[in-house]
Amino acid sequence: MILQLKPLFAGEIERLPVEATLDLSSFEFHGDCPLTRPVELKGEIVVRADMLWFTATASYHFESVCDRCLSPVCGEFVTRMEHILVSSLNGEETDELVLVENDELDLVPLTETDIYLDLPQKTLCKSDCRGLCQHCGKNLNDGLCGCHEKKVDPRMAVLASLLTEDTE
Ligand SMILES: [Zn+2]
Ligand SMILES: [Zn+2]
């Protein structure tokens, strides 16, 4: 989805509403494509102090699995987007500025980057998810599995064999 910014840069208009429905179903996050439904973008671009200010909210449905226990995780999220759009960079290097080439702003990569940075580092079904047992695969949120008691600490195993040798 491309926005033509020429009228803004040329000073012909001072405000451009941003309203778009984006298909970000191929957006990848932690090896998954969690944006299964269209993303709604709403906002505006206004000219202020000879610069273009982009503000918008991206509303989306997130659907993936818990990093620890693999159970489904989904929810509705909103990411706030704020950028200053420039047609050329005068040597300044800053993350706030978005360089717009040929007066065309592609909303897809901009929205994808903002959502990526806004999403939590880990996808968890709940903050204290216990995950799966590494031995039997049981979901430990449903209760303990009993593997822990049977598992022998390697240091204890050495001690146990020494004790056995002593008694021989
Ligand atoms: Zn979990
Ligand atoms: Zn287990």
Side-chain angles (χ1 to χ4, degrees):
M1 171 88 193
I2 306 279
L3 283 186
Q4 298 293 341
L5 303 186
K6 203 177 179 75
L8 286 165
F9 279 123
E12 291 161 17
I13 57 171
E14 293 200 330
R15 179 180 176 273
L16 182 71
V18 175
E19 221 163 304
T21 303
L22 305 176
D23 175 8
L24 303 186
S25 55
S26 56
F27 166 79
E28 279 190 44
F29 187 74
H30 296 180
D32 204 3
C33 294
L35 305 181
T36 51
R37 300 181 197 168
V39 174
E40 297 294 335
L41 201 63
K42 259 199 177 70
E44 60 176 7
I45 302 172
V46 292
V47 182
R48 205 181 298 148
D50 282 337
M51 287 191 283
L52 301 192
W53 299 73
F54 176 101
T55 51
T57 52
S59 309
Y60 49 97
H61 175 80
F62 178 90
E63 200 172 315
S64 191
V65 293
C66 176
D67 286 345
R68 289 188 197 149
C69 74
L70 304 180
S71 59
V73 174
C74 71
E76 308 304 316
F77 290 85
V78 173
T79 289
R80 282 204 55 80
M81 303 169 65
E82 286 183 355
H83 297 286
I84 296 168
L85 312 176
V86 294
S87 55
S88 63
L89 288 172
N90 299 319
E92 66 261 63
E93 290 272 339
T94 158
D95 292 340
E96 287 172 7
L97 299 181
V98 173
L99 178 64
V100 176
E101 286 177 269
N102 305 319
D103 297 330
E104 291 181 341
L105 176 67
D106 191 347
L107 292 174
V108 169
L110 189 68
T111 308
E112 285 188 336
T113 304
D114 284 359
I115 290 178
Y116 191 92
L117 295 174
D118 198 34
L119 285 171
Q121 289 280 307
K122 278 187 175 297
T123 305
L124 296 176
C125 59
K126 52 184 182 181
S127 60
D128 60 347
C129 171
R130 293 159 178 260
L132 302 176
C133 172
Q134 293 184 354
H135 300 277
C136 70
K138 183 185 155 93
N139 188 334
L140 298 176
N141 297 305
D142 299 336
L144 295 174
C145 55
C147 293
H148 192 67
E149 286 103 78
K150 277 179 242 158
K151 204 178 74 187
V152 181
D153 187 308
R155 288 163 300 177
M156 292 302 284
V158 171
L159 194 64
S161 68
L162 284 174
L163 288 170
T164 331
E165 278 166 28
D166 279 350
T167 53
E168 270 170 10

